[in-house]
Amino acid sequence: MGQTWAPDSTGGYLANDVLSKKIRHRSQPLMRFRQFTREEPGYGKGKGDTVLFDRIANVAVGGGTISELAKMPEDSVSISQGTVTVNEYGNSVPWTGKLDTLSSFSVDSIIGKALRNDMAKVLDDAVGTEFQTAKVKAVTSGTDIAPTTTFETTLATTANRDAQAADIKNIIDEMKSTYLTPMYDGQNYMCIGSVGFARALKDDPDWEDAAKYGDPERLFSGEIGRYYGCRFMEETNVLANKVGAAATYKGEAVFFGEDPIVEAVAVPEELRAKIPTDYGRDKGLAWYALLGWSLTYDTGTAGESKIVHLTSV
C-alpha cells in the first residue's frame, strides 16, 4: 500500500504536529469610560466602605442693589452630601502543578493577560453603567427632515430615528443653557458613543464637513473627532449600538462635562498569585479590586446635572 500520512501506523508516526511559538489571545472591546472618573483624594484602606462628599448649592436668593440706609441682606447656602460605597471585584483561574511543569509556555503569563483583559472590561463596564444612571435622558424625536430631541428625567419616549448632528447641537445647547453644565476641559464637552451612534454621525453631511477642517489634538483614548464644542470617543464595551422599538435606530451615547463621576479606591486593581497548596500541585492567579463609583449629582437640576444620556425606552 505504500507509506501514507494516515493512518498513523502507515506513516503518520514519522512526523509530529508542531506547536506554534506564537500565543493568540481573543480580541477585546474598546473601553473608554474609566479614564473619565475622578478618584476621591484621602480615601483608602482603613477608612470604611463609604466615602461622603459635600455638594454646595448656590446662595438661596441672589444679591442685588441695596439702598443707602438699608441693612445688608442675609442669606444661606444649602449643603448636600453624596456617597460612594466600595465593593469587591475579582476573578481567578486555577491550574495544576502538572500543567505548569509540562507546558511549553508560561501558564502564568497566559492566564495573567487573560485576567488583565477581564479586569479592564469588568471595571470599565461598572463605570459605564454608572454613567447610564444619569437622570437627564435625551431621545431622538421628530423626523429625519425635521429632527428634534426630547429631554426628560423619567425615560418614557421611544427613539424614532437615527441620531444626527442636529441632536448633538440640541444636547450641547441644553447642557449649556438649561443645565449649566461646566465643560470638561474648559473648552469642550465630552461624548462616549457606541459604534452605531458614531456611524450615524459619520453618515451626516454636517459631521463630514466639520471633519474636513482640521484634526484636533486627540488626548483621550478612542477619540474620533470634535464637533460643536464636543469631543467624541467610540466604545464597544457598554453602550448599545441600536435603540428604539425592536432596536431599530443608531445609537446610544453619553455626553458629560466636568467631574461627572466620583471614584473611591480602597484597593487598586491588581493581580494576585495563589499560594500553592497540595504540596505545590494546586496553583492559580486572580485579579482583585475594592472600588466604587457614584454620580457626582444624581439629579436633573440646573447647575447640578453633569451627564446627558442619549438613549430610548
Side-chain angles (χ1 to χ4, degrees):
M1 170 176 182
Q3 312 314 120
T4 60
W5 180 255
D8 289 336
S9 61
T10 62
Y13 284 136
L14 297 179
N16 292 317
D17 293 336
V18 176
L19 181 62
S20 172
K21 298 299 183 182
K22 179 178 176 63
I23 292 290
R24 275 88 172 176
H25 286 266
R26 187 168 181 170
S27 59
Q28 303 302 307
L30 304 174
M31 296 163 276
R32 309 305 185 199
F33 283 100
R34 185 78 187 280
Q35 63 184 319
F36 294 107
T37 62
R38 175 180 64 82
E39 183 177 342
E40 189 62 29
Y43 174 72
K45 294 181 180 179
K47 296 190 177 182
D49 68 347
T50 301
V51 178
L52 303 176
F53 55 95
D54 289 342
R55 302 176 298 205
I56 312 302
N58 292 331
V59 174
V61 179
T65 59
I66 307 171
S67 62
E68 182 179 1
L69 300 179
K71 183 181 177 181
M72 175 69 71
E74 296 178 341
D75 212 327
S76 62
V77 175
S78 176
I79 302 174
S80 63
Q81 276 193 333
T83 63
V84 186
T85 301
V86 297
N87 293 286
E88 291 184 295
Y89 292 86
N91 204 358
S92 67
V93 176
W95 63 87
T96 65
K98 183 176 182 179
L99 173 63
D100 203 34
T101 300
L102 300 181
S103 174
S104 298
F105 296 98
S106 168
V107 177
D108 186 280
S109 176
I110 293 170
I111 300 304
K113 181 170 182 177
L115 285 173
R116 283 192 294 272
N117 288 338
D118 181 65
M119 176 174 64
K121 287 182 291 188
V122 169
L123 299 182
D124 184 71
D125 181 79
V127 178
T129 299
E130 190 65 25
F131 267 91
Q132 290 174 295
T133 65
K135 297 298 181 184
V136 179
K137 306 296 183 182
V139 184
T140 56
S141 51
T143 65
D144 288 334
I145 297 176
T148 59
T149 310
T150 299
F151 294 89
E152 51 198 20
T153 54
T154 300
L155 185 60
T157 303
T158 301
N160 61 358
R161 59 174 177 81
D162 292 346
Q164 297 183 21
D167 295 298
I168 296 172
K169 294 178 180 179
N170 292 340
I171 291 170
I172 297 304
D173 288 348
E174 197 78 359
M175 293 175 75
K176 287 180 180 178
S177 61
T178 299
Y179 299 112
L180 308 179
T181 304
M183 295 180 180
Y184 185 86
D185 60 359
Q187 295 181 314
N188 301 276
Y189 292 106
M190 298 291 166
C191 174
I192 300 176
S194 65
V195 171
F197 169 80
R199 173 57 187 272
L201 292 188
K202 293 171 184 177
D203 286 344
D204 190 307
D206 282 354
W207 171 277
E208 289 299 318
D209 288 344
K212 294 176 183 177
Y213 301 102
D215 187 19
E217 182 180 5
R218 297 180 178 181
L219 303 178
F220 299 98
S221 176
E223 192 167 351
I224 61 173
R226 181 168 57 190
Y227 178 77
Y228 203 68
C230 186
R231 300 168 71 166
F232 291 82
M233 274 125 292
E234 190 176 35
E235 72 93 49
T236 60
N237 191 41
V238 180
L239 300 173
N241 280 319
K242 293 188 176 182
V243 296
T248 305
Y249 302 106
K250 309 186 279 285
E252 189 178 19
V254 292
F255 294 76
F256 55 95
E258 182 186 21
D259 193 21
I261 299 287
V262 177
E263 178 181 71
V265 179
V267 178
E269 59 268 34
E270 61 187 14
L271 291 181
R272 294 181 174 183
K274 180 181 180 180
I275 297 175
T277 58
D278 193 19
Y279 302 96
R281 298 176 66 244
D282 185 4
K283 300 184 177 184
L285 194 65
W287 71 264
Y288 177 81
L290 188 54
L291 307 165
W293 296 273
S294 174
L295 298 174
T296 307
Y297 285 93
D298 56 353
T299 75
T301 304
E304 296 180 351
S305 176
K306 303 294 185 75
I307 304 170
V308 174
H309 181 201
L310 178 65
T311 185
S312 171
V313 169

